[in-house]
Amino acid sequence: MNSSEQLQQMIDESSSIVFFGGAGVSTESGIPDFRSVDGLYHQQYAYPPETILSHSFYLRNNEEFYRFYKNKMLYLEAEPNAAHKKLAQLEESGKLKAVITQNIDGLHQKAGSKTVYELHGSVHRNYCESCHKLYNAEYMLKSKGIPTCSCGGRIKPDVVLYEEGLDDNTVRNSIDAIRNADMLIIGGTSLVVYPAAGLIDYFQGKYLVLINKQATKADTRANLVIQEPIGEVFSQMK
């Protein structure tokens, strides 16, 4: 039995599946991964990406933050790939109870997923820091310089920057979903970003599956490890 058939059998035997995903889920949709060899961490800027995408840099150097953010974080033409679509299909069938994602691109919702916990926020939600009026990602992309509200206030993306904490409700919902799952599929993440990576410790179910191109620190705990691009893995399934 090959790995795709093993994965299918585990899914068939499960009734409460949760998916936990990272940047590798979106790379097949053309959105670069931060930590891969050709990812953002390996490109040259005046500052490293983790500095630019920090809360203190956002406050101190807002114009440079937005120059980078609009250039490198907004991929509004990206379309869901086979992984996003398969997960939406599993949710529709009643098997998948939640998607927990470290991504901010909204592709799970675009594919049709309904219960999505976005640990790091979303580029599609933006709010005025003064009056809290909401703006979409298209407005942010088209704005000149620092995006400004009709009231004159500065607009901030609802994404979790370095030095900022995760949303308590989102974390709580994610923990509950994982704790109640009989199968946890982890895909496209190297499990190095905390506190998000620590969520898998709440899993007490039957099947733990890891799908990632590189090895992760949780491989030894998994019932099944597949070191292939996740979109390719899901595209082979019925």
Side-chain angles (χ1 to χ4, degrees):
M1 192 185 291
N2 65 31
S3 54
S4 288
E5 289 167 340
Q6 283 180 272
L7 177 59
Q8 186 66 61
Q9 186 178 2
M10 289 175 181
I11 288 172
D12 291 343
E13 291 176 12
S14 303
S15 59
S16 183
I17 303 169
V18 168
F19 178 79
F20 177 88
V25 180
S26 293
T27 50
E28 287 164 274
S29 292
I31 297 177
D33 175 7
F34 268 51
R35 288 177 176 77
S36 63
V37 175
D38 53 353
L40 288 181
Y41 277 92
H42 296 269
Q43 296 176 20
Q44 295 305 307
Y45 291 91
Y47 304 89
E50 63 265 43
T51 299
I52 298 173
L53 295 172
S54 68
H55 181 76
S56 51
F57 191 92
Y58 171 79
L59 296 176
R60 189 177 68 244
N61 203 337
N62 206 234
E63 205 160 331
E64 182 67 9
F65 170 89
Y66 272 112
R67 198 165 68 84
F68 178 89
Y69 179 80
K70 286 187 253 186
N71 192 25
K72 290 293 173 188
M73 306 302 288
L74 296 179
Y75 291 87
L76 306 187
E77 303 302 311
E79 290 296 330
N81 61 52
H84 299 105
K85 291 171 185 171
K86 180 64 179 176
L87 291 165
Q89 188 187 323
L90 283 170
E91 184 184 31
E92 199 177 349
S93 73
K95 279 189 173 285
L96 185 81
K97 303 305 178 187
V99 168
I100 302 164
T101 181
Q102 294 171 288
N103 298 335
I104 57 175
D105 49 49
L107 288 179
H108 285 292
Q109 290 94 330
K110 202 170 184 180
S113 289
K114 303 284 191 292
T115 305
V116 182
Y117 300 127
E118 296 172 307
L119 293 171
H120 297 157
S122 172
V123 299
H124 297 284
R125 295 188 301 271
N126 305 275
Y127 61 92
C128 171
E129 293 181 297
S130 300
C131 75
H132 302 290
K133 183 178 175 182
L134 300 177
Y135 288 87
N136 62 23
E138 286 76 14
Y139 182 89
M140 303 296 278
L141 190 60
K142 288 172 183 167
S143 62
K144 298 279 188 284
I146 298 168
T148 308
C149 176
S150 52
C151 80
R154 181 173 62 186
I155 303 170
K156 184 179 188 292
D158 187 13
V159 300
V160 179
L161 302 176
Y162 289 97
E163 304 164 352
E164 293 180 342
L166 303 187
D167 177 72
D168 286 342
N169 270 342
T170 306
V171 172
R172 206 173 296 118
N173 287 333
S174 300
I175 289 170
D176 286 346
I178 290 172
R179 199 179 264 146
N180 294 317
D182 57 8
M183 180 175 186
L184 177 62
I185 304 172
I186 299 173
T189 174
S190 48
L191 293 174
V192 295
V193 178
Y194 281 84
L199 291 176
I200 71 160
D201 295 334
Y202 292 95
F203 179 63
Q204 303 157 11
K206 187 177 181 184
Y207 292 127
L208 175 62
V209 177
L210 282 164
I211 307 169
N212 196 51
K213 288 198 285 186
Q214 287 85 34
T216 79
K217 65 178 183 61
D219 285 3
T220 52
R221 294 164 53 185
N223 301 93
L224 177 64
V225 176
I226 305 176
Q227 288 190 353
E228 295 172 37
I230 188 165
E232 285 180 26
V233 174
F234 278 129
S235 67
Q236 294 161 18
M237 296 171 64
K238 67 184 185 192

